[in-house]
Amino acid sequence: MTDQNIVEIRNIHKRFGDLEVLKGVDFDVRQQEVICLIGKSGSGKSTLLRCINLLEKPDDGEIRVFGEDILHIRNVDAYRAKVGMCFQQFNLFNNMNVLKNCMISQERVLKRSASEAREKALYYLNKVGMSEFIHADSRNLSGGQKQRVAIARALCMDPKLMLFDEPTSALDPEMVGEVLNVMKQLAEEGLTMIIVTHEMNFAREVADRVVFMDQGVIEEQGSPEQIFLNPLSPRTAEFLARSIH
């Protein structure tokens, strides 16, 4: 892990009507760091992630990614090509097979040739254990298989930063492990990741830093050991007591 920040967020506010979801968040991410965002539903975790990917635009504040002020960026597609995102609901193209799902954005956004895109897709589908399903109809896959294809599709774009929004929340318990194993491997390989998760054991095992959000602010952050074994905030301790037991 290096000391270089690739994400710098200053005083971000985000409102939806009268509801203020982010209330002045400051947040940095270093290169090769794995951060797990934890907290109750509605605490602002997913909104923070969506602001980083420009799916939401903050009302106030500043976000710099790779040194660039992204809130005034002109080419959003080029920016998003560097920032991969996996959602709860997979968002695969149902009218395409697995291989084509992993090729299409490479061809359209990165302007790769079909042979280049195919080679890259096969590499990452093999990496996530889905190479035998390349011709499968996406609609016929299990949830865990769909999420692994979604991860492979994002990795095909060679992102410098990966965002995961509760990637296991829509999965049956027996499928959670296969997705988390892929993410552990990515962490070991040094990919910078921000992960919204309710899997506390995973956060404890994989994160370099755990960030607890509550009511639109970062209540506490620290190493997994500090957060899980010796939380400083009573709100963190209360959340963990409910989540782990």
Side-chain angles (χ1 to χ4, degrees), residues 99-100 102-108 110-123 156:
L99 183 61
K100 194 64 182 169
C102 293
M103 289 174 62
I104 188 158
S105 292
Q106 297 185 67
E107 294 172 311
R108 288 189 180 170
L110 301 181
K111 307 301 181 194
R112 284 181 179 150
S113 68
S115 61
E116 281 180 303
R118 179 184 169 88
E119 184 180 348
K120 183 76 75 170
L122 291 173
Y123 173 79
C156 283

Side-chain angles (χ1 to χ4, degrees), residues 36-47:
C36 285
L37 297 176
I38 63 171
K40 290 184 287 196
S41 294
S43 59
K45 309 180 304 295
S46 294
T47 302

Side-chain angles (χ1 to χ4, degrees), residues 97-99 125 129-138 140-141 145 148-149:
N97 67 21
V98 165
L99 183 61
L125 285 166
M130 289 298 293
S131 54
E132 66 190 272
F133 295 92
I134 61 171
H135 300 301
D137 186 325
S138 304
N140 296 335
L141 301 175
Q145 290 169 336
R148 283 187 286 157
V149 173

Side-chain angles (χ1 to χ4, degrees), residues 46 86-91 147 165-171 196:
S46 294
C86 284
F87 301 87
Q88 299 175 32
Q89 299 297 340
F90 328 126
N91 293 358
Q147 192 60 286
D165 189 6
E166 301 218 17
T168 59
S169 68
L171 301 181
V196 172

Side-chain angles (χ1 to χ4, degrees), residues 12-199:
I12 283 294
H13 291 258
K14 178 63 184 176
R15 300 170 194 86
F16 295 103
D18 293 333
L19 180 65
E20 191 173 20
V21 179
L22 296 176
K23 304 172 183 175
V25 171
D26 293 299
F27 184 62
D28 291 331
V29 183
R30 294 192 301 278
Q31 194 166 357
Q32 296 189 327
E33 192 172 22
V34 177
I35 291 182
C36 285
L37 297 176
I38 63 171
K40 290 184 287 196
S41 294
S43 59
K45 309 180 304 295
S46 294
T47 302
L48 177 60
L49 221 56
R50 291 171 70 84
C51 287
I52 296 170
N53 203 39
L54 295 177
L55 291 168
E56 302 288 352
K57 192 145 188 188
D59 298 304
D60 302 294
E62 181 183 14
I63 303 179
R64 302 186 77 83
V65 183
F66 315 122
E68 187 173 20
D69 173 6
I70 65 165
L71 300 183
H72 299 94
I73 211 163
R74 288 222 172 102
N75 191 338
V76 173
D77 285 341
Y79 167 69
R80 285 207 187 118
K82 295 185 283 187
V83 181
M85 185 150 185
C86 284
F87 301 87
Q88 299 175 32
Q89 299 297 340
F90 328 126
N91 293 358
L92 297 181
F93 299 115
N94 284 329
N95 59 334
M96 298 177 189
N97 67 21
V98 165
L99 183 61
K100 194 64 182 169
N101 257 285
C102 293
M103 289 174 62
I104 188 158
S105 292
Q106 297 185 67
E107 294 172 311
R108 288 189 180 170
V109 178
L110 301 181
K111 307 301 181 194
R112 284 181 179 150
S113 68
S115 61
E116 281 180 303
R118 179 184 169 88
E119 184 180 348
K120 183 76 75 170
L122 291 173
Y123 173 79
Y124 281 113
L125 285 166
N126 182 58
K127 192 177 186 70
V128 301
M130 289 298 293
S131 54
E132 66 190 272
F133 295 92
I134 61 171
H135 300 301
D137 186 325
S138 304
R139 289 168 293 197
N140 296 335
L141 301 175
S142 71
Q145 290 169 336
K146 286 179 180 177
Q147 192 60 286
R148 283 187 286 157
V149 173
I151 292 171
R153 180 177 65 179
L155 293 173
C156 283
M157 303 297 284
D158 297 325
K160 296 179 173 64
L161 170 66
M162 276 291 292
L163 310 176
F164 292 91
D165 189 6
E166 301 218 17
T168 59
S169 68
L171 301 181
D172 294 333
E174 64 269 21
M175 294 173 186
V176 168
E178 63 190 49
V179 172
L180 294 181
N181 285 337
V182 170
M183 294 170 66
K184 284 177 191 172
Q185 186 184 349
L186 297 175
E188 287 164 8
E189 291 169 5
L191 181 62
T192 309
M193 298 193 284
I194 308 173
I195 305 163
V196 172
T197 185
H198 60 277
E199 300 285 346

